[in-house]
Amino acid sequence: MRYADEFREGVIAQGLARAIAAEASSERRYRFMEFCGGHTHVISRHGLEDMLPTTVRMIHGPGCPVCVLPTSRIDMAISLVDRPDVILCVYGDLMRAPGSQGRSLSRAKAMGADIRMVYSTLDAIQIAERAPDREVVFFAIGFETTTPPTAVMIRHAEKKQLRNFSVFCNHVLTPSAMQSILGSPDVDNVGSVEIDGLVGPGHVSIIIGTKAYEFVDGFGKPVVITGFEPLDMMQAILMLVRQVNEGRSEVENQYSRAVTREGNLRAQQEISDMFEVRDLFEWRGLGFIPHSGLKLKQGYAQFDAEMRFALHEQRVAHNPACECGAILRGVKRPADCKLFGCVCTPETPIGSCMVSSEGACSAHWSYGRFRDHSRRQAP
Amino acid sequence: MRAKSYQSKLDVRNGFVELRHGSGGRAMSQLVYSLFHEAFGNDWLARGNDQSAFGVQTGRMVMTTDSYVVSPRFFPGGNIGFLAVNGTINDVVAMAGARPLYLSASFIIEEGYRLSDLKTIAGSMGEAARTAGVNIITGDTKVVERGKADGLFISTTGIGVLPDGLDLSVDNARIGDRVLVSGSLGDDGITIMSKRQNLPFQSGLVSDTAPLHDLVAVMVTAGGSGIRVMRDPTRGGLAATLNEIANQSGLGFRLREEIIPVKPTVAAACELLGLDPLHVANEGKLVAIVAPETADAVLAAMKAHALGCDAADIGCAVEDDHQFVQMLTRFGGERIVEWLSGDQLPRIC
């Protein structure tokens, strides 16, 4: 597979692993958070942890859109599909995301709700065109990567004068969340963990550019914007080790084949034309973060499902035994949670980190849990 | 076959299945005789009974049953009819090493289904059965109201006879056994997915549906009782098959990713959709757990056969209380090969 195999070459990986081992000091610890769920997935799927020295620890961050979506937003979507006239279009991962009281969209579908899994935003437009007597709602979710496609979709709906189409907007902003983590506030008493550097998002940065992270200067932590192939990740870790060793805290761009300092200006324009920043948005595990979510501007209110169906967010308590919050903040590891692998598995997720394959718990369960046992067996 | 007198010929070209075709009356009789009997043509069906009698051989017999609900029903390299026959034959032979003898076929048809499509599918079933030297000797037809089924569902049951001395079972694997696969993984699943209406990509792949009894016979000749387990890794892919064997046999597996055959097209499609090729369904492929001393001979026999030319020895059974299927990645790290969880849902980003 061209343009992928080149970035998965084991021999080059071994070379990078040797360089990391040689340059990482045995006198100190390197705690790097990969913000993005895509990176968590890459680390787990290719077994990267086995190739790092024990002094380098990867902390899985909150950058999985399904994982950080609070229960209340899932509940709002479920209340939407209770209406018989609504067709809800979702990306597949969302189907199993847990709402309150054991509910999920998957269960709602089994009980007769009309929920369609789509692969692209344009599928939702097609569904709306074919069902003019139904209300078609797109469950928009994701960071800056998936926001421009939502904007394009709304443009299409506008052009086609679709009167039966709207968007349930849950788009969130990466820099705000990153700032919240670097500020290390102790949310819900789960504690906080010291982070020595960040593996910055790749796809998000294609849109917003490396410039968007320059605020981290103030936190004195290095950031390396990184691609999604395993060799990208190994190189990024080496770059972070070097920055830490040299006492630098810069925004570096490992993913230079795709990311520029300015980003995709047209996509940025489209986002700012159509969306505005919410005062407050709830993130699972991070709590309410100011200026971290997007909603449609007043001029696009007809496409805003929250306005159209008068949806209201009701705060619900998460399962108190679920450690997703602490795991998303890197304070705990998946295996530290009492529910992990017992009642909470990818088949029956209790916490959102177990839902998407990019979630820390799901990735650990599916790819890495053998290490828990080898650790225990070790003298 | 005795001549049947019907008021008018079944209009296969333009007609549709209607509720009357399943109601037990003349219309159903006409459908069964002029479509299914015609396609399956054999002496058992020709006698017109609701069951068929056949001689029982000495020794051990095997029986399996499977339902086919694939959507779309027509895809590059085959259709639901080929699957319904080959899939059940493969369950009989691949799981047990048996020689398949007879099949039954049961149809649940949604009112309004095209007779021409039904005829094509029945024809494919007849063709697949003849290729495998198996007869479809009994069946059933039900027609349900529109909306109560999705076009056409087929259930088939197969009966076969076991050669002496062969005892293939999913709990038979032993530590040290080798894991052999007969060819590239994921072809069928990706072919079907690429034809789904809402996936706008073209793969150029064709389904690998094929009866495996001949390949199995060659393997049994080469490996005899050294072959411990055989499975066809259909839904859930190689991952499900090996996890099931690990659980049933009480051991683990260690695989090497770089040796597992996956076509570049399949790898690329999986990459695009966020799927793991080891979770993708296969047809016409098998996994064999073979004693280490006979593994080379069995592998050579597989490679010499048209359906096994890409066969590979991808790993071995190891002692593991946790029964993990573990894999050394191409990249150089370790990971678990976990069961597929839920449905195959593409990732968001």
Side-chain angles (χ1 to χ4, degrees):
Chain A
M1 193 178 16
R2 287 190 66 196
Y3 310 119
D5 288 344
E6 294 88 336
F7 296 95
R8 297 175 186 181
E9 189 52 68
V11 179
I12 302 174
Q14 297 298 337
L16 282 166
R18 278 193 297 274
I20 293 169
E23 295 191 32
S25 158
S26 56
E27 302 297 311
R28 60 156 300 151
R29 293 172 67 195
Y30 300 82
R31 291 153 298 189
F32 300 137
M33 175 179 275
E34 81 279 1
F35 181 86
C36 211
H39 285 144
T40 304
H41 190 255
V42 166
I43 291 172
S44 307
R45 184 176 169 188
H46 297 277
L48 258 63
E49 279 181 52
D50 295 331
M51 309 175 75
L52 299 176
T54 50
T55 49
V56 177
R57 179 189 159 198
M58 300 308 291
I59 297 169
H60 309 316
C64 153
V66 175
C67 302
V68 294
L69 199 64
T71 312
S72 55
R73 304 293 292 186
I74 301 286
D75 282 357
M76 285 165 85
I78 294 172
S79 75
L80 204 52
V81 292
D82 281 344
R83 295 174 52 121
D85 58 334
V86 165
I87 299 174
L88 184 69
C89 299
V90 303
Y91 290 137
D93 282 21
L94 274 170
M95 293 297 285
R96 281 179 293 141
S100 63
Q101 296 162 346
R103 295 184 303 170
S104 68
L105 289 172
S106 179
R107 182 176 290 187
K109 184 169 188 282
M111 302 306 288
D114 196 344
I115 303 174
R116 317 265 178 100
M117 265 191 273
V118 294
Y119 296 86
S120 119
T121 54
L122 295 179
D123 293 344
I125 293 283
Q126 270 181 8
I127 291 169
E129 283 181 299
R130 286 179 194 155
D133 53 338
R134 303 282 300 276
E135 283 284 344
V136 176
V137 182
F138 178 73
F139 194 150
I141 172 178
F143 295 89
E144 291 85 342
T145 331
T146 51
T147 313
T150 302
V152 169
M153 174 174 59
I154 293 170
R155 285 262 179 261
H156 272 277
E158 201 179 19
K159 210 175 288 171
K160 290 172 187 273
Q161 298 186 320
L162 287 178
R163 305 256 175 259
N164 62 329
F165 179 79
S166 59
V167 169
F168 177 43
C169 180
N170 294 276
H171 287 300
V172 285
L173 299 170
T174 308
S176 319
M178 218 176 236
Q179 203 157 5
S180 160
I181 288 169
L182 286 172
S184 292
D186 184 351
V187 178
D188 295 338
N189 297 318
V190 297
S192 62
V193 68
E194 192 67 25
I195 293 166
D196 300 304
L198 279 165
V199 175
H203 295 156
V204 163
S205 306
I206 293 174
I207 307 293
I208 65 175
T210 60
K211 199 168 72 170
Y213 306 95
E214 285 166 6
F215 69 87
V216 297
D217 236 6
F219 293 95
K221 308 283 183 196
V223 177
V224 175
I225 308 300
T226 307
F228 287 90
E229 292 300 332
L231 278 184
D232 290 325
M233 181 60 71
M234 292 296 283
Q235 188 181 21
I237 293 168
L238 180 61
M239 288 164 79
L240 283 169
V241 166
R242 284 181 180 161
Q243 283 211 46
V244 170
N245 286 351
E246 292 162 16
R248 290 184 288 126
S249 52
E250 296 162 16
V251 178
E252 286 186 308
N253 184 9
Q254 183 279 335
Y255 201 20
S256 57
R257 64 185 186 277
V259 174
T260 61
R261 181 168 181 274
E262 301 299 326
N264 183 334
L265 295 174
R266 187 166 163 214
Q268 290 171 23
Q269 188 63 49
E270 200 71 319
I271 293 174
S272 62
D273 282 352
M274 207 170 280
F275 298 94
E276 64 188 25
V277 178
R278 294 176 195 257
D279 293 338
L280 215 54
F281 194 78
E282 188 187 3
W283 294 56
R284 192 186 281 242
L286 304 181
F288 285 88
I289 304 180
H291 314 302
S292 68
L294 294 176
K295 65 176 181 184
L296 282 163
K297 281 185 170 168
Q298 195 56 40
Y300 295 92
Q302 56 165 322
F303 296 110
D304 187 342
E306 283 177 72
M307 306 274 280
R308 198 175 176 112
F309 301 102
L311 295 178
H312 292 293
E313 202 167 325
Q314 284 190 322
R315 207 170 175 204
V316 284
H318 296 140
N319 185 330
C322 170
E323 301 276 18
C324 273
I327 291 164
L328 283 168
R329 298 172 51 72
V331 179
K332 291 194 174 174
R333 297 175 197 240
D336 296 333
C337 177
K338 287 194 198 89
L339 305 182
F340 179 80
C342 301
V343 290
C344 187
T345 66
E347 285 301 328
T348 54
I350 305 288
S352 52
C353 301
M354 193 56 103
V355 175
S356 161
S357 62
E358 299 187 348
C361 292
S362 172
H364 185 64
W365 173 265
S366 302
Y367 296 123
R369 71 183 192 277
F370 70 93
R371 290 194 190 88
D372 300 337
H373 302 289
S374 25
R375 252 204 295 278
R376 247 172 250 156
Q377 281 165 11
Chain B
M1 196 192 296
R2 264 172 292 148
K4 299 279 171 186
S5 57
Y6 299 108
Q7 281 164 331
S8 60
K9 214 169 152 245
L10 192 67
D11 184 4
V12 172
R13 185 182 293 181
N14 303 308
F16 296 91
V17 175
E18 297 170 35
L19 283 175
R20 63 193 175 92
H21 287 119
S23 62
R26 191 187 289 273
M28 182 168 122
S29 171
Q30 186 179 22
L31 180 79
V32 168
Y33 278 94
S34 53
L35 213 141
F36 294 128
H37 285 205
E38 181 87 12
F40 304 159
N42 58 54
D43 294 344
W44 286 272
L45 290 180
R47 298 186 68 183
N49 292 310
D50 225 4
Q51 81 291 319
S52 287
F54 54 88
V56 179
Q57 314 214 0
T58 55
R60 298 169 69 215
M61 303 195 76
V62 292
M63 177 174 159
T64 185
T65 190
D66 220 332
S67 300
Y68 299 85
V69 297
V70 63
S71 169
R73 284 169 289 277
F74 291 88
F75 44 82
N79 61 46
I80 189 172
F82 280 113
L83 280 191
V85 170
N86 289 339
T88 295
I89 288 176
N90 289 344
D91 278 350
V92 175
V93 293
M95 285 171 68
R99 184 163 65 84
L101 296 173
Y102 304 109
L103 289 177
S104 75
S106 174
F107 298 84
I108 296 172
I109 314 168
E110 185 187 13
E111 173 183 28
Y113 195 65
R114 276 181 186 283
L115 280 171
S116 55
D117 284 351
L118 190 61
K119 185 180 167 71
T120 306
I121 288 164
S124 301
M125 293 177 74
E127 186 189 329
R130 279 189 294 279
T131 306
V134 172
N135 283 298
I136 301 170
I137 60 171
T138 188
D140 184 50
T141 307
K142 294 281 189 309
V143 180
V144 296
E145 294 96 328
R146 201 166 179 106
K148 299 286 163 95
D150 181 15
L152 171 67
F153 300 151
I154 306 175
S155 288
T156 50
T157 295
I159 285 180
V161 61
L162 273 176
D164 284 341
L166 197 63
D167 180 25
L168 300 184
S169 177
V170 71
D171 55 2
N172 269 353
R174 297 177 205 171
I175 292 160
D177 284 355
R178 306 298 309 176
V179 181
L180 310 182
V181 293
S182 67
S184 60
L185 298 174
D187 299 5
D188 180 70
I190 293 297
T191 306
I192 305 274
M193 270 189 244
S194 73
K195 289 297 154 194
R196 289 218 167 133
Q197 211 178 12
N198 49 359
L199 276 187
F201 72 89
Q202 294 188 331
S203 68
L205 284 171
V206 294
S207 168
D208 45 8
T209 174
L212 292 166
H213 61 290
D214 198 42
L215 175 65
V216 169
V218 166
M219 291 168 66
V220 169
T221 306
S225 59
I227 301 176
R228 319 252 207 228
V229 188
M230 270 201 266
R231 293 300 293 265
D232 53 342
T234 50
R235 282 167 304 156
L238 179 73
T241 300
L242 288 182
N243 274 292
E244 202 175 337
I245 298 171
N247 290 168
Q248 291 294 327
S249 297
L251 41 70
F253 286 105
R254 292 295 296 274
L255 310 178
R256 286 181 60 190
E257 187 178 26
E258 60 182 341
I259 300 172
I260 300 175
V262 177
K263 287 192 175 125
T265 319
V266 171
C270 285
E271 200 65 30
L272 197 68
L273 297 170
L275 305 175
D276 187 335
L278 305 187
H279 286 153
V280 179
N282 304 278
E283 292 289 340
K285 296 283 157 59
L286 63 80
V287 180
I289 311 298
V290 182
E293 59 276 13
T294 47
D296 287 345
V298 174
L299 185 64
M302 290 167 87
K303 282 176 174 286
H305 192 279
L307 291 177
C309 55
D310 295 325
D313 176 347
I314 61 168
C316 64
V318 294
E319 186 177 358
D320 184 349
D321 293 343
H322 299 284
Q323 294 157 12
F324 288 138
V325 178
Q326 221 168 299
M327 180 165 81
L328 177 65
T329 68
R330 196 187 301 269
F331 199 64
E334 290 276 347
R335 72 135 152 135
I336 287 177
V337 177
E338 179 64 359
W339 296 85
L340 169 67
S341 63
D343 202 357
Q344 275 188 332
L345 305 175
R347 281 184 289 131
I348 287 176
C349 58

